[in-house]
Amino acid sequence: MSVLPLIFTSGWASGVNAYAVVLLLGLFGAAGLTDEVPASLQRTDVLIVVGALFLCEAVADKIPYVDTVWDSVHTVVRPLAGAVVGALLAGESGSLPELAAGAVGGSTALVSHLVKAGTRMAINTSPEPVSNVLMSTAEDLGVAGIVVFALFHPVAAAVIAGMLLVAGVATVFFLATRIRRFLRRRTRRRAVSDGG
């Protein structure tokens, strides 16, 4: 069986929450529920570190504007995690060159990260904090669901991840005016604070 659908799906999910992906893959592998997960992701020290980082993300991601700063930092982290997970999965299966797998995982993670970050900027323009918490919770549950589904039904999960990626890109284009408004306000605030 080709590991490419699992790499694509884990790349998409890494762009949303890389720590959840590594944590779930590692836990499922350590529990013996799948043979697809490399031993390096199942190590106890790796699981402890990504578990702690997952908890940090779970909190930071629900606070308006803190989530935007967190996303900015993770513009490098999430695609890199997607690339590393993809390469590790390919190396474990031996069915796809690791460099190509890293490119698939990393580029998919980058696009889904940009969708997430763009959507969050638009949500942050809303005056109430509830939408942020709801969106973050939906993202976490979506990542968990798609990663678990991908371990048992990789092709179907990859199709779903692909549809979510296309829908996300379309949503960001639709929300572009809100994002531009957010950025203009932020620029004005900086100008006022620098001048005053």
Side-chain angles (χ1 to χ4, degrees):
M1 179 184 80
S2 172
V3 75
L4 187 58
L6 180 58
I7 291 168
F8 178 81
T9 304
S10 66
W12 173 85
S14 292
V16 178
N17 190 329
Y19 306 122
V21 173
V22 175
L23 183 62
L24 283 168
L25 289 175
L27 289 173
F28 270 73
L33 298 172
T34 180
D35 296 331
E36 298 290 329
V37 179
S40 56
L41 296 180
Q42 300 175 38
R43 293 179 22 188
T44 303
D45 57 334
V46 171
L47 293 174
I48 290 170
V49 169
V50 295
L53 290 168
F54 170 74
L55 292 175
C56 290
E57 174 144 346
V59 172
D61 214 29
K62 290 172 180 58
I63 303 169
Y65 300 106
V66 171
D67 66 335
T68 301
V69 173
W70 185 266
D71 284 343
S72 296
V73 171
H74 284 80
T75 299
V76 173
V77 174
R78 291 178 184 142
L80 184 58
V84 169
V85 168
L88 289 171
L89 289 170
E92 188 73 7
S93 75
S95 65
L96 187 69
E98 287 130 5
L99 187 59
V104 169
S107 58
T108 306
L110 177 61
V111 174
S112 67
H113 164 73
L114 294 173
V115 166
K116 174 184 177 162
T119 305
R120 285 312 188 83
M121 281 187 194
I123 289 173
N124 283 338
T125 63
S126 172
E128 45 73 36
V130 176
S131 57
N132 227 350
V133 173
L134 291 175
M135 185 64 156
S136 176
T137 303
E139 289 167 352
D140 292 344
L141 293 173
V143 164
I146 197 84
V147 168
V148 171
F149 189 59
L151 288 170
F152 301 104
H153 305 284
V155 174
V159 169
I160 292 168
M163 290 188 315
L164 290 170
L165 195 60
V166 169
V169 169
T171 300
V172 168
F173 279 119
F174 177 74
L175 296 173
T177 56
R178 290 193 74 159
I179 294 167
R180 281 194 288 273
R181 207 175 313 142
F182 168 79
L183 292 173
R184 271 188 253 134
R185 266 191 284 184
R186 195 166 91 184
T187 303
R188 274 183 267 168
R189 282 187 203 142
R190 281 190 183 150
V192 168
S193 67
D194 290 345

